[in-house]
Amino acid sequence: QQQVKQSPQSLIVQKGGISIINCAYENTAFDYFPWYQQFPGKGPALLIAIRPDVSEKKEGRFTISFNKSAKQFSLHIMDSQPGDSATYFCAAIRQTGANNLFFGTGTRLTVIP
Amino acid sequence: KAGVTQTPRYLIKTRGQQVTLSCSPISGHRSVSWYQQTPGQGLQFLFEYFSETQRNKGNFPGRFSGRQFSNSRSEMNVSTLELGDSALYLCASSFGLWRGGNQETQYFGPGTRLLVL
């Protein structure tokens, strides 16, 4: 059973546009929600993260929106650039207990010049 | 400062064999986590070692094991390889115990691509 559902699987956006990637989770015990960016041939890198007591977090052009009641969170990339072309993963983490860390299946973003 | 290094980068094995992958964390980092990445299942957490002790574990069979040495270097072993074990195995390090984030940031290595024939 997929603990975290991510959509879309792939996304094509024009340069300067807004990229939006969505994730949904079931387990309300999750208490930390990071997003990772992965370029081909590289390992993932932490991009931005949010805790459920906050509804939005912004870092530069990247924003996480968090809807606790709907158990959904999304990544918004404003003014998307070709250099943003990468695969993005969301994750949901429970800071206690074992087997506490689950990732979405990834979204391949392509930003067209 | 050098990043996380993983060896080998590519590996081909046959079913039933076993394999050992190595990870050297960033200097000073004491936590090492391992992940499996496949096209079908995506990224999945295997385990985390801190100060030579396994501190967290994902939902993988006992064929997957690991260890950490006193210099924080870590090895991951997969015994009795199956075709489904073909994947990119990623290692990540952090200064303190990561346990999913908290105050620590993990830094990933480039991975070891394992192909099981």
Side-chain angles (χ1 to χ4, degrees), chain B residues 16-83:
Chain B
Q17 288 186 308
Q18 76 166 22
V19 66
T20 299
L21 311 181
S22 180
C23 172
S24 292
I26 291 172
S27 178
H29 283 194
R30 296 182 297 163
S31 171
V32 173
S33 296
W34 288 90
Y35 299 84
Q36 182 195 66
Q37 187 172 30
T38 60
Q41 297 295 319
L43 200 56
Q44 297 184 89
F45 171 69
L46 279 155
F47 29 65
E48 178 181 8
Y49 283 85
F50 180 80
S51 293
E52 303 177 62
T53 303
Q54 189 181 91
R55 301 302 185 102
N56 196 8
K57 188 176 187 302
N59 191 26
F60 275 80
R63 299 186 298 108
F64 293 82
S65 63
R67 60 177 175 169
Q68 187 179 34
F69 302 95
S70 58
N71 62 357
S72 295
R73 190 177 70 85
S74 177
E75 289 182 345
M76 191 194 88
N77 186 77
V78 187
S79 63
T80 319
L81 283 166
E82 301 177 359
L83 296 179

Side-chain angles (χ1 to χ4, degrees), chain A residues 5-21:
Chain A
K5 295 181 180 178
Q6 183 173 345
S7 63
Q9 193 172 10
S10 62
L11 182 61
I12 300 174
V13 173
Q14 292 277 1
K15 179 183 175 182
I18 302 173
S19 303
I20 302 175
I21 304 170

Side-chain angles (χ1 to χ4, degrees), chain A residues 32 36 38 41 43-44 46 51 89 93-101 103, chain B residues 9 35 37 43 45 56-59 90 98-102 105 108-110:
Chain A
Y32 183 68
Y36 293 85
Q38 185 176 25
L46 178 65
R51 298 196 182 279
F89 295 92
I93 297 169
R94 189 179 67 249
Q95 299 269 270
T96 58
N99 195 22
N100 62 324
L101 162 57
F103 292 88
Chain B
R9 292 293 312 276
Y35 299 84
Q37 187 172 30
L43 200 56
F45 171 69
N56 196 8
K57 188 176 187 302
N59 191 26
L90 292 159
W98 185 69
R99 276 209 64 83
N102 205 1
T105 298
F108 281 81

